[in-house]
Amino acid sequence: MRLGNQDGRDPNHLVLGSRFGYQPLAGVIAAAGRHLDVISFNCYEFDPGPVIDAYAATGKPCLIAEFSFRGDDASLPNTKGAGPRLATQLDRARAFEGYVAAALSKPNVVGYHWFEHADQPAQGRFDGEDSNFGTVTIDDRVYDELTKTMTRVNAAAERIHAAAVPAVI
């Protein structure tokens, strides 16, 4: 893959632009596709496929910059923050596996990023978010179900993605 914008204004740098925090109108996505080398965005849905498809319409590689699922069994309020709430850590692990498998089935996806390493404090962080987004607790205790699933799924990521079938446009 050649680095730099199609118009040659910055041929020696990979231009990611600003990530999209939500899916804007199709015209905004198309404009971004004319100026960026990679389209990056957050996607807090169970199935990232439709969101990926909207950005992949640009023909550019797509990077999921942020996603996560919250578990209600983590003893955190989970009242502020993006994304679905699930009953258990096992549910979070299953949601991660389904999400990543769906994302990797899209040929335009070049990466994905879990939102946070550690949970947010129960009293809220600087912006009030108080949720179970971490792979570890605020006290650095590992969520075993989630991290074991992440290890297994991430080890298979290249194989899963290699089997992705390009969309017919």
mmCIF file of all heavy atoms in Angstrom, residues 82 120 169:
data_model
loop_
_atom_site.group_PDB
_atom_site.id
_atom_site.type_symbol
_atom_site.label_atom_id
_atom_site.label_comp_id
_atom_site.label_asym_id
_atom_site.label_seq_id
_atom_site.Cartn_x
_atom_site.Cartn_y
_atom_site.Cartn_z
ATOM 1 N N ALA A 82 -20.376 4.849 26.689
ATOM 2 C CA ALA A 82 -20.979 4.325 25.466
ATOM 3 C C ALA A 82 -21.090 2.811 25.491
ATOM 4 O O ALA A 82 -20.372 2.132 26.219
ATOM 5 C CB ALA A 82 -20.144 4.753 24.265
ATOM 6 N N GLN A 120 -13.158 2.088 34.906
ATOM 7 C CA GLN A 120 -13.239 3.451 35.408
ATOM 8 C C GLN A 120 -13.618 3.413 36.891
ATOM 9 O O GLN A 120 -14.224 2.443 37.356
ATOM 10 C CB GLN A 120 -14.275 4.229 34.595
ATOM 11 C CG GLN A 120 -13.869 4.312 33.143
ATOM 12 C CD GLN A 120 -14.967 4.797 32.230
ATOM 13 O OE1 GLN A 120 -16.145 4.632 32.496
ATOM 14 N NE2 GLN A 120 -14.566 5.391 31.122
ATOM 15 N N ILE A 169 -19.338 -4.281 -5.377
ATOM 16 C CA ILE A 169 -19.974 -2.945 -5.423
ATOM 17 C C ILE A 169 -20.512 -2.680 -6.797
ATOM 18 O O ILE A 169 -20.021 -3.025 -7.791
ATOM 19 C CB ILE A 169 -18.975 -1.851 -5.003
ATOM 20 C CG1 ILE A 169 -18.525 -2.120 -3.577
ATOM 21 C CG2 ILE A 169 -19.583 -0.483 -5.123
ATOM 22 C CD1 ILE A 169 -17.469 -1.176 -3.071
#
